[in-house]
Amino acid sequence: AQRVTQPEKLLSVFKGAPVELKCNYSYSGSPELFWYVQYSRQRLQLLLRHISRESIKGFTADLNKGETSFHLKKPFAQEEDSAMYYCALKYGWNSGGYQKVTFGTGTKLQVIP
Amino acid sequence: DSGVTQTPKHLITATGQRVTLRCSPRSGDLSVYWYQQSLDQGLQFLIQYYNGEERAKGNILERFSAQQFPDLHSELNLSSLELGDSALYFCASSNRVNYGYTFGSGTRLTVV
């Protein structure tokens, strides 16, 4: 079954320290992976898509198919990065709207000043 | 503004009551998804609609139902409400292009 695992419920780092939020997935097909961020119980916002290989707000994530991971990284944490981060796996068909998304349980990032 | 509109933003109601949450997807998006976010259970997928038809069901209780109308807006109906139904209910939409979801701001439901 498709599954996304975020092993850490809470990650506390000091401002300026590197951040790595872990995400592992299980899916037999070709995965599409995303990171979403939620600030203070506001709406979830798309942060990254693995297919675009972009860097948003200094965050990057690389899909490692061998390790089935999609860890989110940032070299220097900032206080405004404090939020909930959700990893998500999209799977299914592209046509007909049959795609489904499974979210991980989320990791709360707390950046300590 | 993300383009996904959810109303109302806040709702306080008593146990046993019934409420309807409304979602208007982003323009052009045919798929609508409903999620429940509670403090102890994180983000739980409830149900998905695509162009008016139900496509996938998650952990949705029998007391809950949803539909998507011809104009693509969706409603989530919650009945016989219990204290444990208090949560944030998010709607998200997407289109057929390979992209992520766009989430609404959510409806905060408090059952007292």
Side-chain angles (χ1 to χ4, degrees):
Chain A
Q2 294 75 24
R3 189 182 304 125
V4 174
T5 304
Q6 292 181 251
E8 302 142 326
K9 281 194 171 180
L10 172 66
L11 180 65
S12 296
V13 301
F14 285 101
K15 178 182 172 181
V19 174
E20 182 178 69
L21 299 168
K22 291 184 167 49
C23 171
N24 288 89
Y25 67 92
S26 62
Y27 178 51
S28 57
S30 184
E32 295 177 43
L33 287 149
F34 304 81
W35 276 99
Y36 287 84
V37 60
Q38 185 183 31
Y39 300 101
S40 300
R41 303 287 285 176
Q42 296 176 19
R43 66 180 180 88
L44 278 78
Q45 302 173 49
L46 179 64
L47 184 62
L48 282 177
R49 300 173 289 155
H50 92 268
I51 56 170
S52 59
R53 302 182 65 83
E54 56 203 339
S55 173
I56 303 292
K57 299 183 179 180
F59 285 98
T60 59
D62 288 319
L63 177 61
N64 186 324
K65 290 188 178 181
E67 296 182 358
T68 59
S69 69
F70 188 57
H71 303 326
L72 184 67
K73 299 178 183 178
K74 184 170 183 176
F76 308 104
Q78 299 173 326
E79 289 181 63
E80 54 265 34
D81 296 330
S82 295
M84 279 290 292
Y85 290 82
Y86 290 92
C87 183
L89 167 68
K90 195 174 192 181
Y91 60 96
W93 307 340
N94 267 334
S95 61
Y98 278 86
Q99 288 190 302
K100 302 179 185 180
V101 175
T102 295
F103 284 84
T105 50
T107 298
K108 182 176 182 178
L109 175 63
Q110 183 179 61
V111 180
I112 304 165
Chain B
D1 182 12
S2 69
V4 177
T5 305
Q6 287 189 251
T7 57
K9 288 193 185 303
H10 302 276
L11 198 50
I12 301 176
T13 190
T15 54
Q17 295 298 304
R18 172 191 168 94
V19 297
T20 298
L21 312 183
R22 183 188 168 100
C23 169
S24 293
R26 195 178 58 162
S27 178
D29 288 356
L30 300 179
S31 288
V32 169
Y33 310 79
W34 286 97
Y35 284 85
Q36 179 193 57
Q37 185 181 45
S38 55
L39 280 173
D40 57 345
Q41 293 199 356
L43 200 62
Q44 298 284 321
F45 169 65
L46 295 177
I47 198 163
Q48 176 199 355
Y49 280 84
Y50 176 79
N51 203 20
E53 295 185 12
E54 181 184 305
R55 281 289 184 251
K57 257 187 178 180
N59 300 323
I60 186 166
L61 300 171
E62 285 190 12
R63 300 183 285 109
F64 296 0
S65 65
Q67 55 184 332
Q68 187 180 26
F69 295 87
D71 66 353
L72 301 178
H73 91 271
S74 177
E75 293 182 354
L76 179 67
N77 301 297
L78 315 176
S79 60
S80 303
L81 285 167
E82 302 174 359
L83 296 177
D85 297 328
S86 296
L88 262 172
Y89 290 84
F90 284 106
C91 168
S93 71
S94 70
N95 58 31
R96 292 174 61 176
V97 177
N98 199 12
Y99 206 80
Y101 286 178
T102 301
F103 279 84
S105 301
T107 293
R108 184 176 295 278
L109 174 66
T110 303
V111 182
V112 298

Short mmCIF file of all heavy atoms in Angstrom, two decimals, chain A residues 8-42:
data_model
loop_
_atom_site.label_atom_id
_atom_site.label_comp_id
_atom_site.label_asym_id
_atom_site.label_seq_id
_atom_site.Cartn_x
_atom_site.Cartn_y
_atom_site.Cartn_z
N GLU A 8 9.67 12.10 12.40
CA GLU A 8 9.79 13.08 13.49
C GLU A 8 8.52 13.91 13.60
O GLU A 8 8.08 14.52 12.64
CB GLU A 8 10.98 14.02 13.24
CG GLU A 8 12.31 13.29 13.11
CD GLU A 8 13.20 13.92 12.04
OE1 GLU A 8 12.67 14.42 11.03
OE2 GLU A 8 14.42 13.90 12.22
N LYS A 9 7.94 13.92 14.82
CA LYS A 9 6.78 14.78 15.04
C LYS A 9 7.23 16.21 15.25
O LYS A 9 6.56 17.15 14.87
CB LYS A 9 6.00 14.31 16.26
CG LYS A 9 5.11 13.12 16.01
CD LYS A 9 4.11 12.93 17.14
CE LYS A 9 3.11 11.87 16.76
NZ LYS A 9 2.11 11.64 17.82
N LEU A 10 8.38 16.35 15.88
CA LEU A 10 8.88 17.68 16.21
C LEU A 10 10.38 17.71 15.96
O LEU A 10 11.11 16.79 16.34
CB LEU A 10 8.61 18.01 17.68
CG LEU A 10 9.23 19.29 18.24
CD1 LEU A 10 8.62 20.51 17.56
CD2 LEU A 10 9.04 19.37 19.76
N LEU A 11 10.81 18.78 15.31
CA LEU A 11 12.23 18.99 15.08
C LEU A 11 12.57 20.41 15.52
O LEU A 11 12.02 21.36 15.00
CB LEU A 11 12.57 18.80 13.60
CG LEU A 11 14.04 18.98 13.21
CD1 LEU A 11 14.88 17.90 13.86
CD2 LEU A 11 14.21 18.95 11.70
N SER A 12 13.44 20.51 16.49
CA SER A 12 13.85 21.82 16.99
C SER A 12 15.29 22.07 16.59
O SER A 12 16.17 21.23 16.84
CB SER A 12 13.73 21.86 18.53
OG SER A 12 12.38 21.72 18.91
N VAL A 13 15.53 23.22 15.98
CA VAL A 13 16.89 23.60 15.58
C VAL A 13 17.10 25.05 15.95
O VAL A 13 16.15 25.83 16.07
CB VAL A 13 17.13 23.40 14.07
CG1 VAL A 13 16.91 21.95 13.67
CG2 VAL A 13 16.25 24.33 13.25
N PHE A 14 18.35 25.43 16.10
CA PHE A 14 18.67 26.83 16.37
C PHE A 14 18.72 27.59 15.05
O PHE A 14 19.03 27.03 13.98
CB PHE A 14 19.99 26.96 17.11
CG PHE A 14 19.88 26.59 18.56
CD1 PHE A 14 20.31 25.34 19.00
CD2 PHE A 14 19.34 27.47 19.48
CE1 PHE A 14 20.21 24.99 20.35
CE2 PHE A 14 19.24 27.12 20.82
CZ PHE A 14 19.66 25.88 21.25
N LYS A 15 18.40 28.85 15.13
CA LYS A 15 18.48 29.74 13.97
C LYS A 15 19.88 29.66 13.39
O LYS A 15 20.88 29.70 14.13
CB LYS A 15 18.16 31.17 14.40
CG LYS A 15 18.25 32.19 13.32
CD LYS A 15 17.96 33.58 13.87
CE LYS A 15 18.22 34.65 12.83
NZ LYS A 15 17.96 36.01 13.38
N GLY A 16 19.96 29.51 12.08
CA GLY A 16 21.24 29.43 11.41
C GLY A 16 21.77 28.02 11.25
O GLY A 16 22.72 27.79 10.49
N ALA A 17 21.14 27.07 11.94
CA ALA A 17 21.59 25.68 11.84
C ALA A 17 20.95 25.03 10.61
O ALA A 17 19.90 25.47 10.14
CB ALA A 17 21.20 24.92 13.10
N PRO A 18 21.54 23.96 10.10
CA PRO A 18 20.93 23.26 8.96
C PRO A 18 19.69 22.48 9.40
O PRO A 18 19.58 22.04 10.54
CB PRO A 18 22.04 22.31 8.49
CG PRO A 18 22.90 22.10 9.69
CD PRO A 18 22.83 23.37 10.48
N VAL A 19 18.78 22.33 8.45
CA VAL A 19 17.53 21.63 8.72
C VAL A 19 17.38 20.47 7.73
O VAL A 19 17.67 20.62 6.55
CB VAL A 19 16.31 22.57 8.53
CG1 VAL A 19 15.00 21.79 8.65
CG2 VAL A 19 16.36 23.70 9.53
N GLU A 20 16.96 19.33 8.25
CA GLU A 20 16.58 18.23 7.38
C GLU A 20 15.32 17.58 7.93
O GLU A 20 15.32 17.03 9.03
CB GLU A 20 17.69 17.18 7.27
CG GLU A 20 17.30 16.04 6.30
CD GLU A 20 18.39 15.01 6.13
OE1 GLU A 20 18.66 14.28 7.09
OE2 GLU A 20 18.96 14.93 5.03
N LEU A 21 14.25 17.68 7.18
CA LEU A 21 12.99 17.04 7.56
C LEU A 21 12.87 15.76 6.74
O LEU A 21 12.87 15.80 5.51
CB LEU A 21 11.81 17.98 7.26
CG LEU A 21 11.84 19.30 8.02
CD1 LEU A 21 10.81 20.26 7.47
CD2 LEU A 21 11.58 19.06 9.50
N LYS A 22 12.73 14.67 7.44
CA LYS A 22 12.78 13.37 6.76
C LYS A 22 11.41 12.94 6.23
O LYS A 22 10.38 13.16 6.86
CB LYS A 22 13.32 12.31 7.71
CG LYS A 22 14.81 12.49 8.03
CD LYS A 22 15.32 11.37 8.87
CE LYS A 22 16.85 11.33 8.94
NZ LYS A 22 17.46 12.61 9.24
N CYS A 23 11.46 12.32 5.06
CA CYS A 23 10.25 11.76 4.46
C CYS A 23 10.64 10.50 3.71
O CYS A 23 11.54 10.52 2.87
CB CYS A 23 9.61 12.75 3.50
SG CYS A 23 8.26 12.06 2.52
N ASN A 24 9.98 9.41 4.02
CA ASN A 24 10.15 8.17 3.28
C ASN A 24 8.81 7.72 2.74
O ASN A 24 7.78 7.96 3.36
CB ASN A 24 10.76 7.08 4.19
CG ASN A 24 12.21 7.35 4.50
OD1 ASN A 24 12.52 8.02 5.48
ND2 ASN A 24 13.09 6.87 3.66
N TYR A 25 8.84 7.09 1.61
CA TYR A 25 7.58 6.68 0.99
C TYR A 25 7.66 5.22 0.57
O TYR A 25 8.75 4.64 0.44
CB TYR A 25 7.27 7.55 -0.22
CG TYR A 25 8.24 7.37 -1.37
CD1 TYR A 25 8.00 6.44 -2.38
CD2 TYR A 25 9.40 8.12 -1.43
CE1 TYR A 25 8.90 6.26 -3.41
CE2 TYR A 25 10.30 7.96 -2.46
CZ TYR A 25 10.06 7.02 -3.45
OH TYR A 25 10.95 6.84 -4.47
N SER A 26 6.50 4.63 0.39
CA SER A 26 6.43 3.30 -0.18
C SER A 26 5.42 3.33 -1.30
O SER A 26 4.26 3.71 -1.10
CB SER A 26 6.05 2.26 0.88
OG SER A 26 4.77 2.52 1.40
N TYR A 27 5.88 3.00 -2.48
CA TYR A 27 5.02 2.99 -3.67
C TYR A 27 5.74 2.22 -4.75
O TYR A 27 6.90 2.48 -5.03
CB TYR A 27 4.73 4.42 -4.13
CG TYR A 27 3.90 4.52 -5.38
CD1 TYR A 27 2.69 3.82 -5.49
CD2 TYR A 27 4.30 5.31 -6.45
CE1 TYR A 27 1.92 3.91 -6.63
CE2 TYR A 27 3.53 5.41 -7.59
CZ TYR A 27 2.34 4.70 -7.68
OH TYR A 27 1.57 4.80 -8.81
N SER A 28 5.05 1.31 -5.39
CA SER A 28 5.68 0.44 -6.37
C SER A 28 5.83 1.10 -7.73
O SER A 28 6.63 0.68 -8.55
CB SER A 28 4.89 -0.86 -6.52
OG SER A 28 3.56 -0.56 -6.87
N GLY A 29 5.07 2.15 -7.96
CA GLY A 29 5.13 2.82 -9.26
C GLY A 29 6.10 3.99 -9.24
O GLY A 29 6.98 4.09 -8.39
N SER A 30 5.93 4.88 -10.20
CA SER A 30 6.78 6.05 -10.28
C SER A 30 6.17 7.16 -9.42
O SER A 30 5.07 7.62 -9.69
CB SER A 30 6.89 6.52 -11.73
OG SER A 30 7.78 7.59 -11.84
N PRO A 31 6.85 7.58 -8.38
CA PRO A 31 6.22 8.49 -7.43
C PRO A 31 6.26 9.96 -7.86
O PRO A 31 7.17 10.37 -8.57
CB PRO A 31 7.04 8.29 -6.17
CG PRO A 31 8.42 8.00 -6.69
CD PRO A 31 8.21 7.22 -7.96
N GLU A 32 5.26 10.69 -7.42
CA GLU A 32 5.30 12.13 -7.50
C GLU A 32 5.24 12.63 -6.07
O GLU A 32 4.32 12.29 -5.33
CB GLU A 32 4.09 12.67 -8.25
CG GLU A 32 4.01 12.27 -9.70
CD GLU A 32 2.73 12.79 -10.33
OE1 GLU A 32 2.37 13.95 -10.07
OE2 GLU A 32 2.09 12.02 -11.06
N LEU A 33 6.20 13.40 -5.68
CA LEU A 33 6.30 13.80 -4.28
C LEU A 33 6.28 15.30 -4.12
O LEU A 33 6.76 16.05 -4.98
CB LEU A 33 7.56 13.21 -3.66
CG LEU A 33 7.41 11.70 -3.44
CD1 LEU A 33 8.73 11.00 -3.57
CD2 LEU A 33 6.80 11.43 -2.07
N PHE A 34 5.70 15.71 -3.02
CA PHE A 34 5.51 17.14 -2.74
C PHE A 34 5.83 17.39 -1.26
O PHE A 34 5.71 16.51 -0.43
CB PHE A 34 4.05 17.54 -2.97
CG PHE A 34 3.52 17.24 -4.33
CD1 PHE A 34 3.07 15.97 -4.66
CD2 PHE A 34 3.43 18.23 -5.29
CE1 PHE A 34 2.57 15.68 -5.92
CE2 PHE A 34 2.92 17.97 -6.55
CZ PHE A 34 2.49 16.69 -6.86
N TRP A 35 6.17 18.63 -0.98
CA TRP A 35 6.22 19.13 0.38
C TRP A 35 5.23 20.29 0.50
O TRP A 35 5.20 21.18 -0.36
CB TRP A 35 7.61 19.61 0.76
CG TRP A 35 8.52 18.51 1.22
CD1 TRP A 35 9.47 17.87 0.48
CD2 TRP A 35 8.57 17.93 2.52
NE1 TRP A 35 10.10 16.92 1.25
CE2 TRP A 35 9.57 16.93 2.50
CE3 TRP A 35 7.87 18.15 3.71
CZ2 TRP A 35 9.89 16.16 3.63
CZ3 TRP A 35 8.19 17.40 4.83
CH2 TRP A 35 9.19 16.41 4.78
N TYR A 36 4.44 20.24 1.58
CA TYR A 36 3.51 21.32 1.89
C TYR A 36 3.91 21.91 3.23
O TYR A 36 4.43 21.22 4.11
CB TYR A 36 2.08 20.80 1.99
CG TYR A 36 1.46 20.46 0.67
CD1 TYR A 36 1.67 19.21 0.09
CD2 TYR A 36 0.66 21.37 -0.01
CE1 TYR A 36 1.11 18.89 -1.13
CE2 TYR A 36 0.08 21.06 -1.22
CZ TYR A 36 0.32 19.82 -1.78
OH TYR A 36 -0.24 19.51 -2.98
N VAL A 37 3.64 23.20 3.39
CA VAL A 37 3.94 23.88 4.64
C VAL A 37 2.66 24.51 5.17
O VAL A 37 1.82 24.99 4.40
CB VAL A 37 5.06 24.93 4.46
CG1 VAL A 37 4.65 25.99 3.45
CG2 VAL A 37 5.42 25.58 5.78
N GLN A 38 2.52 24.48 6.48
CA GLN A 38 1.35 25.07 7.13
C GLN A 38 1.83 25.93 8.29
O GLN A 38 2.39 25.43 9.26
CB GLN A 38 0.40 23.98 7.65
CG GLN A 38 -0.89 24.53 8.22
CD GLN A 38 -1.78 23.44 8.79
OE1 GLN A 38 -1.29 22.42 9.29
NE2 GLN A 38 -3.08 23.64 8.73
N TYR A 39 1.60 27.23 8.19
CA TYR A 39 1.98 28.17 9.23
C TYR A 39 0.82 28.39 10.18
O TYR A 39 -0.29 28.70 9.74
CB TYR A 39 2.40 29.51 8.63
CG TYR A 39 3.57 29.43 7.68
CD1 TYR A 39 3.38 29.44 6.30
CD2 TYR A 39 4.88 29.33 8.16
CE1 TYR A 39 4.44 29.35 5.43
CE2 TYR A 39 5.95 29.24 7.29
CZ TYR A 39 5.73 29.25 5.93
OH TYR A 39 6.79 29.16 5.07
N SER A 40 1.06 28.18 11.47
CA SER A 40 0.10 28.51 12.53
C SER A 40 -1.33 28.12 12.18
O SER A 40 -2.25 28.93 12.27
CB SER A 40 0.13 30.01 12.84
OG SER A 40 1.39 30.39 13.28
N ARG A 41 -1.57 26.86 11.81
CA ARG A 41 -2.90 26.34 11.54
C ARG A 41 -3.62 27.11 10.42
O ARG A 41 -4.83 27.17 10.37
CB ARG A 41 -3.76 26.37 12.81
CG ARG A 41 -3.16 25.62 13.97
CD ARG A 41 -3.24 24.14 13.82
NE ARG A 41 -4.57 23.62 14.04
CZ ARG A 41 -4.92 22.35 13.90
NH1 ARG A 41 -4.02 21.48 13.50
NH2 ARG A 41 -6.15 21.95 14.12
N GLN A 42 -2.84 27.71 9.53
CA GLN A 42 -3.44 28.31 8.35
C GLN A 42 -3.57 27.23 7.28
O GLN A 42 -3.38 26.07 7.55
CB GLN A 42 -2.55 29.46 7.87
CG GLN A 42 -2.43 30.61 8.86
CD GLN A 42 -1.47 31.67 8.37
OE1 GLN A 42 -1.16 31.74 7.19
NE2 GLN A 42 -1.01 32.50 9.27
#
